[in-house]
Amino acid sequence: MIPASFIKEQAAAVGFDACGVAEAAMLSKEEFMLEEWLDAGFNAGMDYMQRNVAMRQDPRLLVEGARSVISVLLAYKPDRRIESARKIAQYAYGEDYHERLKRMLYQLITRVSEHYPEFEARPFVDTAPISDRHWAARAGLGWLGKNTLLVNPRFGSYCFIGELVTTAVVDVYDTPLPDGCGDCSRCVDACPNRAIVHRVGESYHVDARRCTSYNTIENRDSELPSQLDTRGYVFGCDICQLACPYNEQAPASMPLGNDRKAELESLPDADETTFRHAIKHSAMNRINYAQWRRNVDYSSEN
Ligand code: B12
Ligand code: SF4
Ligand code: SF4
């Protein structure tokens, strides 16, 4: 058995902003309404969300013998924003979070293993069939806000999530935090596409078909849906996060240097070689140049 406090100390030493631990178990259907979301067609063209449904609900099917899920947060609110007409979502300003968190998670494994050689864990960030937000919520790192994002009381929703799924058992598991949204619905009201839908019970869902983030990143069609109101976003969308009071008061965690700011601001006019170079180690490498041109042209015409 490993003390949870030791793991949290090591996570802080690696540079994570928060860490919590939950017992590996199955997520309840009320907690994670993936099947309802899929049945409603809210996954749009993200066919990968239809695969490994059982695994997404139970990390023990992903990692044999899993006993605990260690969740970590890395806050990313930038110290300033790009205010030009064509906007890039803030999460993509810095280094690709998949690369950064994975590297940090491996450092965490090394540190814990140095003291506990029997410690075995697998790191995950975003792309594996595991629901990052639900495990972070179970680990007491925040609650699921109405925009469906994990909201941490200090860092708001401007935080990336990663986890270690491990066969190790810890001495104390964290307990989930109570809902902090209350009567607020600023994110729901702010969405220009009415993409945050209130459907079952108290739950909110994002209908990806209407969401700018989905359409500018995941949608590979040659044209964007004509009714999409992007408000100038050409990669991702921040609108339902900018509306959130927890994000307003969150401290800035990521400096945006002058060179990078200028590079991102000039990107809509860049040729393919310049574009590829600028996005190489950024979360923007999820899209190709054809999608980028499509997004930029759409924002100029609408
Ligand atoms: C698919 C996906 C998307 C899709 C769909 C988004 C969505 N809301 O599902 C698209 C492309 C639209 C997207 C957009 C974004 N994404 Co994304 N995405 C994912 C991914 C890969 C899976 C999410 C998922 O499982 N969706 C399926 C549905 C069924 O689950 P759900 O939305 O969680 O909602 C259900 C439950 O929460 C439940 N529910 C809702 N409310 C409540 C309340 C209570 C009390 C309870 C019990 C249950 C409940 O009902 C919902 C519907 O079934 C995760 C990474 C991962 N592996 O987990 C990243 C992830 C969620 N994305 C992330 C980010 C940063 C974004 C963007 C902010 C990027 C941007 N700026 O453009 C936007 C935010 C848009 C938004 N409001 O969601 C981060 C979020 C970090 C955080 N703090 O929460 C994640 C966790 C990646 C990471 N590892 O950091 N994303
Ligand atoms: S990311 Fe943008 S389009 Fe998608 S739900 Fe939030 S505000 Fe709406
Ligand atoms: S804007 Fe309000 S309802 Fe939406 S996530 Fe933030 S606190 Fe919750």
Side-chain angles (χ1 to χ4, degrees), residues 33 126 130 132-133 147-148 150 159 161 204-205 213 237:
M33 281 164 274
D126 194 354
I130 177 166
D132 299 339
R133 291 174 288 188
N147 55 13
T148 76
L150 179 95
C159 47
I161 307 169
Y204 289 80
H205 308 243
S213 181
C237 173

Side-chain angles (χ1 to χ4, degrees), residues 46-294:
M46 294 180 288
D47 294 343
Y48 63 86
M49 291 300 295
Q50 284 165 328
R51 293 192 282 272
N52 304 313
V53 169
M55 211 178 256
R56 272 186 199 276
Q57 294 219 224
D58 193 340
R60 294 170 304 180
L61 302 176
L62 181 64
V63 176
E64 205 187 326
R67 299 293 301 277
S68 310
V69 182
I70 301 165
S71 290
V72 290
L73 299 186
L74 187 68
Y76 69 82
K77 184 175 174 178
D79 55 358
R80 56 184 173 160
R81 293 179 45 226
I82 294 168
E83 297 290 356
S84 54
R86 290 170 295 191
K87 300 180 184 66
I88 292 166
Q90 297 169 83
Y91 85 104
Y93 287 3
E95 184 189 353
D96 185 352
Y97 66 96
H98 302 95
E99 292 177 15
R100 183 150 177 227
L101 266 84
K102 269 271 173 74
R103 200 168 59 232
M104 292 169 72
L105 283 167
Y106 277 116
Q107 286 168 10
L108 180 57
I109 294 176
T110 305
R111 280 176 170 265
V112 178
S113 309
E114 275 166 7
H115 286 76
Y116 297 94
E118 73 280 16
F119 182 69
E120 276 182 21
R122 280 181 59 192
F124 298 103
V125 181
D126 194 354
T127 50
I130 177 166
S131 180
D132 299 339
R133 291 174 288 188
H134 288 84
W135 286 102
R138 279 208 173 189
L141 299 181
W143 63 91
L144 297 176
K146 289 187 181 127
N147 55 13
T148 76
L149 297 172
L150 179 95
V151 185
N152 174 271
R154 175 145 189 253
F155 300 108
S157 60
Y158 290 142
C159 47
F160 300 120
I161 307 169
E163 56 273 321
L164 292 181
V165 179
T166 172
T167 49
V169 174
V170 304
D171 57 348
V172 189
Y173 287 100
D174 290 287
T175 46
L177 297 180
D179 167 62
C181 290
D183 294 335
C184 175
S185 62
R186 284 166 60 168
C187 52
V188 181
D189 303 337
C191 176
N193 296 301
R194 302 230 156 272
I196 304 173
V197 190
H198 191 185
R199 271 176 63 110
V200 189
E202 285 306 304
S203 278
Y204 289 80
H205 308 243
V206 168
D207 180 351
R209 294 170 300 192
R210 299 196 212 170
C211 174
T212 300
S213 181
Y214 166 77
N215 280 294
T216 55
I217 303 173
E218 302 285 329
N219 184 343
R220 304 215 155 225
D221 296 346
S222 56
E223 289 186 17
L224 293 178
S226 56
Q227 68 280 15
L228 191 72
D229 185 349
T230 61
R231 303 278 159 107
Y233 276 93
V234 288
F235 182 88
C237 173
D238 289 322
I239 297 173
C240 57
Q241 298 196 85
L242 288 168
C244 181
Y246 290 96
N247 288 337
E248 242 165 59
Q249 69 197 29
S253 305
M254 183 179 60
L256 174 62
N258 287 337
D259 290 352
R260 180 65 175 160
K261 185 168 182 280
E263 183 176 46
L264 292 174
E265 278 169 351
S266 63
L267 215 47
D269 303 314
D271 60 21
E272 185 164 359
T273 311
T274 313
F275 173 78
R276 279 172 184 263
H277 181 263
I279 66 160
K280 204 169 175 200
H281 294 290
S282 131
M284 288 181 74
N285 64 22
R286 182 99 181 133
I287 63 168
N288 58 36
Y289 190 63
Q291 284 173 287
W292 175 248
R293 292 281 12 128
R294 174 201 64 186

